[in-house]
Amino acid sequence: MPANATSPLLAPTLLGPKNGGIITNATSVRLRWRFQSGSSGYNVELSHLGDFSSLELSATVDTVVLVTPALSANTYYWRVRARDAEGLPTLWSGTSSFVLRPFGTN
């Protein structure tokens, strides 16, 4: 199997936070996406750069929710891909962004 092979599953659909949303009075964010039938897990990436060249978070989870660790005030971009039963990844979801304004920031 080629090293860049991808799963025939569809890429996950991101549910929240809303793309371009502003989150206030929080330091952690709850990332949610739609369940992919046939998936065995998900890869999640979070970055303050839209090209994901520097990651704040890279995680592998088996649920459709990930609560981030504490984050600082910034604009963040995130994406998810599923993995099938054989471990092959789907293409990445579309990218979504949010602005985080923790407690006491404007």
Side-chain angles (χ1 to χ4, degrees):
M1 193 169 311
N4 61 351
T6 58
S7 169
L9 296 176
L10 295 175
T13 300
L14 305 181
L15 298 177
K18 183 178 99 174
N19 190 28
I22 298 173
I23 300 168
T24 59
N25 297 324
T27 56
S28 294
V29 177
R30 186 174 181 249
L31 306 176
R32 299 180 304 115
W33 55 94
R34 191 174 313 283
F35 172 77
Q36 276 309 103
S37 181
S39 68
S40 64
Y42 303 90
N43 300 118
V44 183
E45 289 187 344
L46 176 75
S47 178
H48 63 279
L49 300 173
D51 65 2
F52 295 91
S53 58
S54 175
L55 297 177
E56 300 288 324
L57 173 73
S58 178
T60 300
V61 297
D62 59 2
T63 64
V64 294
V65 175
L66 174 72
V67 177
T68 69
L71 300 170
S72 59
N74 210 334
T75 297
Y76 291 94
Y77 302 88
W78 67 288
R79 63 186 181 179
V80 178
R81 68 181 176 187
R83 291 198 166 273
D84 67 17
E86 295 177 16
L88 289 175
T90 63
L91 297 175
W92 286 104
S93 66
T95 298
S96 190
S97 68
F98 60 88
V99 176
L100 182 63
R101 295 186 182 153
F103 300 101
T105 62
N106 291 324

